[in-house]
Amino acid sequence: MVGRLLPLFLTIGLSGQAYASGQSVLDVLMRMQSALHDLNYYGTLIYLQDDTIQTMRVIHESSKNGEHEKLVNLNGAPREVIRDDDIVTCYMPDKKEVTVGKRYHDWNVLSRLVKNDFASMQKFYEFEIESDDRIAGHKSQRILIKPRDNLRYGYRLWIDSANSLLLKSDLLDVDGRAIEQAMFTDINVVDQIPEEMIKPSYNRGGFNRIEQRLTNDSRTDEGKSWRFDYLPDGFSISTHARKRLGEDSQSTDHWIATDGLATVSIYIEKLSGKDVTFEGPSQSGAMNIFGLLIDNYQVTVVGEVPENTAELIARSISKSQMEVGND
Amino acid sequence: MTDQFDDHLDKNISSLVDGELGEAEYQHTVSSLLANKDKSCCWERYHLISDTIKRNLPPVIDCQLASRVMAELENEPTVLAPPPHKTSFGKRMAGLAVAASVATIAVLGVQFMYKEDGVVPAQQMAKVKVPEPGFSVAKTPINPSFIRRDIQTVTQTYEQSPIPAQTNQQILQQIHKYLLDHNQRASRGLVQGVMPYARIITDPETSNIASQKQSQDLKQIQR
C-alpha cells in the first residue's frame, strides 16, 4: 500500500489536512495563537506591500494588567499604534492627531477553533504543512493556507518551532503571489517587558483626539432594515454596531462579515445631501473597497479580499421591504 | 486568409463577445484574435456595440487603449491561457480578458496599465485607486449559483474624465476613514498578527486625513 510507504509526516488525513510528526495543523495554529497572546517579546519587523517597505519596532506584553502591544515605524513621519487589550490608539505626532478605536469584542480565536470553526474553514481553505524554513535565525514551520476558490486570499505562515511565535506572514493573491508581507528580522522572548519600552512615546496633551465611538442613536432599528441574502460562500455576518466615524460624520451602521480567516467590513451611511458619494472598485494595497449607492445610502465594503469578493458582498446587500422608522 | 474564413472568424468573435462559444472554438478564436491585429479592432467594435446596447458606456472612450495594451503585451513574457475548468492555485489565470476590448479589462494582472503614458495619476501616488464618483452600475443582486469560480470577475475600468481635485481628495478621505476603522476594529489574531496595525502605520493617507482636517477647520474634540 502506498500509504504505508509514506513517512508519517506526509500522511494525509481524511479531511485533507497534512500532518507532521503527529501534530495537526490545528495544533500548530492554536499554539501560535497562544504564543501571540501570552508571550512577552519584542523585535524588528519589515513590512512590504506593493512598492512600500517599512520597518517597525514591535513590542508585546501580557501581564496581569492585560495585553499590550506597541508598533512604531522607523522610516518616514513617525507613527505609533498602541493596543491596550481591545483599545487601539494611533498617534500621528507630526500632525498632532490621535485616533482611538475599540475592537468590538476580543477575537478569541482559540475558542473559535475549538468550536468547529476550523472544520468549516476547511471547506474554503486547504491547510498544508510545508517544509521547514529559517527566519530571523530561528527554525520555523511553514504553513500554507490555500483558498479553494478565487473569492479569498491565501496565507503562508512561518511559525517558530521553539516558541510558536509568528515570525513571518504572507498574504497571497489568487495566483499565489505575495501581495503583503510581514517578517521579523530579529525577535526576543523575555520574561518581562520594561514599562519604558511599551508605554506610548507621546503625551496626549496638545493632541487633537479623534474618537470613533459607538452611538446610542435612537434609530437603532435602522440597522434591521438591511439584508445580506447573497453573501459569497462561507461568509456570514458576525457583528453589527452603529457609530460615528468621527465627530462630523453621520451615524454609520457597521457590519463585519467573515469566513473565519478573512474579515470584511460593511459600512452603510445615510446621505445627508452634502456628502461625497462614490461607486465602484477601489484599492489600497491588499485591501479592496467597493462603493455602491442604494436608495439614499452610501454602502462601502472594505476588506482583505479580492476585488470581486468586495463587489459581490456589496451587491448582496438590499433594503428590507418593510422599513422600520422613517427615512 | 480567405473571405469565407474571415466571415467565419468575425462570427466567432461576435459569439465570443457574447460568451456563446464552445470550448474548442473558444481556443481557436482566441488564438486567431491574438495573432491577427486587424481582428482585434473587430473585437473592440463588437464590445462597443454590446456595451452600447447594455448602456455600459463610460464617460470617455479611448479607442487607442487596446493598441497600447497590445503593444505592452508584446513586451510581456506572460503566457495567456483560457481559464482552466478547475481552479489551480499558483497558476496564472490571465484568460481572455487580458487580450482586451476597449471597455472590458480584467483588473488583476494588468497593473502595467499605469506605465502607459508615464503620468502617475494622483490617486496612485496616494496609493488608492479612486472610483468614478456617482457612475451607475448594474444593481441586480447576484445569485451565487451563477458565479463561476474558475473565471476572474471582469471589472470595467474607464479612462476617467478629470475629477475635480477637491472631490477626489474627499473621496480618498472617506475611503481612508473606513480603512482605518476596519484595520483598528476588525483585525483578527489568527493569521494576520500585527498586519492590520502595520497597514495603519504605512498608509500615507493617515497623514493626509489629518492635514485635510486642519485645513478645513473641522470641529474636533480637544483634550
Side-chain angles (χ1 to χ4, degrees):
Chain A
M1 292 287 283
V2 175
R4 264 195 247 154
L5 296 176
L6 286 173
L8 244 185
F9 69 86
L10 281 181
T11 302
I12 309 292
L14 286 171
S15 61
Q17 279 179 304
Y19 289 77
S21 310
Q23 295 175 3
S24 70
V25 169
L26 179 56
D27 285 342
V28 176
L29 290 176
M30 285 180 68
R31 270 206 295 280
M32 180 191 85
Q33 189 59 37
S34 294
L36 280 176
H37 282 304
D38 299 338
L39 292 179
N40 295 324
Y41 56 89
Y42 64 91
T44 308
L45 184 86
I46 285 189
Y47 174 74
L48 278 166
Q49 181 219 88
D50 288 341
D51 53 358
T52 302
I53 181 168
Q54 179 60 265
T55 323
M56 309 177 193
R57 211 61 187 139
V58 176
I59 304 117
H60 179 271
E61 183 198 34
S62 178
S63 68
K64 58 182 188 328
N65 299 323
E67 202 183 331
H68 307 279
E69 204 155 27
K70 178 175 170 179
L71 279 87
V72 186
N73 66 337
L74 300 175
N75 305 79
R79 297 278 176 274
E80 194 164 292
V81 173
I82 302 271
R83 182 171 71 84
D84 296 304
D85 288 324
D86 286 339
I87 297 176
V88 180
T89 307
C90 308
Y91 290 86
M92 288 159 279
D94 54 328
K95 304 297 174 189
K96 292 282 186 215
E97 294 253 340
V98 58
T99 310
V100 185
K102 189 178 188 303
R103 298 199 302 195
Y104 295 134
H105 54 264
D106 188 28
W107 289 101
N108 188 341
V109 185
L110 283 179
S111 62
R112 285 189 69 94
L113 286 177
V114 166
K115 279 178 198 167
N116 297 322
D117 277 339
F118 187 65
S120 61
M121 274 188 237
Q122 285 184 293
K123 288 186 212 155
F124 307 103
Y125 297 93
E126 210 177 306
F127 293 80
E128 277 177 31
I129 293 186
E130 297 184 309
S131 56
D132 284 352
D133 204 345
R134 190 166 158 271
I135 302 287
H138 297 244
K139 185 179 165 207
S140 60
Q141 275 180 308
R142 243 183 349 157
I143 292 196
L144 175 64
I145 304 175
K146 195 158 85 171
R148 296 189 193 269
D149 56 34
N150 64 354
L151 295 177
R152 48 211 105 217
Y153 287 145
Y155 302 84
R156 185 171 262 122
L157 311 175
W158 285 255
I159 298 163
D160 194 313
S161 301
N163 57 38
S164 299
L165 277 176
L166 183 59
L167 297 175
K168 180 174 192 267
S169 61
D170 288 354
L171 185 70
L172 308 170
D173 70 7
V174 294
D175 296 319
R177 289 176 304 181
I179 48 177
E180 195 180 50
Q181 295 171 284
M183 179 181 79
F184 277 98
T185 58
D186 70 85
I187 187 157
N188 309 277
V189 179
V190 294
D191 292 331
Q192 221 175 336
I193 297 279
E195 202 204 320
E196 284 300 305
M197 236 177 132
I198 196 136
K199 68 176 191 185
S201 307
Y202 309 97
N203 194 332
R204 283 190 200 178
F207 274 59
N208 293 332
R209 180 184 161 115
I210 299 156
E211 192 157 355
Q212 298 161 2
R213 45 189 179 192
L214 302 179
T215 66
N216 291 320
D217 198 307
S218 57
R219 291 181 302 149
T220 49
D221 284 342
E222 192 135 349
K224 293 180 189 160
S225 62
W226 295 97
R227 295 162 61 99
F228 303 87
D229 290 329
Y230 298 103
L231 288 174
D233 270 355
F235 282 90
S236 60
I237 301 290
S238 67
T239 309
H240 169 242
R242 194 169 168 77
K243 60 195 182 171
R244 291 179 196 280
L245 291 181
E247 196 54 22
D248 295 300
S249 301
Q250 297 275 342
S251 279
T252 305
D253 279 291
H254 177 203
W255 285 267
I256 295 176
T258 181
D259 66 358
L261 284 183
T263 53
V264 177
S265 281
I266 301 157
Y267 299 94
I268 301 186
E269 204 166 318
K270 188 160 180 186
L271 298 171
S272 67
K274 52 186 171 120
D275 298 304
V276 171
T277 64
F278 55 91
E279 285 197 299
S282 187
Q283 193 178 33
S284 176
M287 311 286 288
N288 277 294
I289 304 118
F290 197 88
L292 204 58
L293 295 175
I294 299 180
D295 294 342
N296 198 30
Y297 293 84
Q298 170 75 53
V299 173
T300 310
V301 172
V302 172
E304 55 276 4
V305 289
E307 182 174 320
N308 53 340
T309 310
E311 184 172 351
L312 283 170
I313 291 175
R315 293 193 192 289
S316 76
I317 299 166
S318 60
K319 217 158 189 308
S320 293
Q321 292 303 316
M322 307 219 342
E323 290 183 10
V324 182
N326 299 321
D327 262 343
Chain B
M1 289 191 188
T2 63
D3 286 341
Q4 256 185 335
F5 181 91
D6 267 12
D7 287 343
H8 185 67
L9 181 57
D10 285 358
K11 239 186 248 175
N12 276 356
I13 291 170
S14 172
S15 301
L16 188 60
V17 169
D18 295 329
E20 290 167 7
L21 277 187
E23 177 64 21
E25 284 195 319
Y26 175 101
Q27 303 252 10
H28 177 69
T29 307
V30 168
S31 309
S32 303
L33 197 52
L34 291 172
N36 191 332
K37 285 196 167 91
D38 294 335
K39 289 303 165 189
S40 69
C41 294
C42 181
W43 168 255
E44 289 179 27
R45 276 201 306 279
Y46 281 119
H47 262 288
L48 211 44
I49 293 165
S50 170
D51 286 343
T52 307
I53 292 167
K54 293 177 196 165
R55 295 175 190 280
N56 276 349
L57 284 181
V60 173
I61 296 166
D62 179 1
C63 294
Q64 298 303 313
L65 199 58
S67 312
R68 287 187 281 160
V69 170
M70 292 304 290
E72 275 290 342
L73 275 174
E74 278 167 25
N75 297 330
E76 286 279 310
T78 309
V79 173
L80 301 177
H85 287 295
K86 192 172 166 159
T87 301
S88 176
F89 191 77
K91 280 193 189 162
R92 185 175 292 272
M93 297 201 300
L96 177 64
V98 180
S101 70
V102 171
T104 310
I105 300 173
V107 172
L108 291 175
V110 193
Q111 281 143 8
F112 61 78
M113 289 299 298
Y114 288 116
K115 289 188 228 159
E116 282 182 347
D117 53 7
V119 173
V120 176
Q123 53 265 35
Q124 188 182 10
M125 289 172 76
K127 301 205 187 299
V128 173
K129 199 169 77 188
V130 179
E132 179 77 25
F135 85 88
S136 191
V137 297
K139 287 178 167 58
T140 31
I142 295 173
N143 187 324
S145 65
F146 296 137
I147 298 166
R148 288 186 61 183
R149 300 202 189 285
D150 57 350
I151 285 187
Q152 302 271 1
T153 297
V154 173
T155 304
Q156 293 180 317
T157 65
Y158 307 110
E159 280 281 304
Q160 294 187 358
S161 50
I163 301 167
Q166 193 183 4
T167 309
N168 193 357
Q169 195 58 37
Q170 285 173 322
I171 293 173
L172 279 176
Q173 261 191 337
Q174 189 73 359
I175 287 174
H176 281 279
K177 222 165 38 174
Y178 293 129
L179 281 170
L180 179 60
D181 187 73
H182 173 79
N183 282 317
Q184 275 184 315
R185 293 181 186 274
S187 59
R188 300 195 49 146
L190 177 58
V191 295
Q192 297 186 22
V194 296
M195 203 85 100
Y197 308 131
R199 284 179 201 137
I200 293 172
I201 283 182
T202 315
D203 185 356
E205 278 300 315
T206 310
S207 52
N208 289 347
I209 288 172
S211 63
Q212 279 294 317
K213 279 191 184 290
Q214 282 179 350
S215 66
Q216 290 172 17
D217 198 29
L218 296 172
K219 193 175 71 170
Q220 291 162 353
I221 303 171
Q222 297 268 345
R223 289 286 165 93

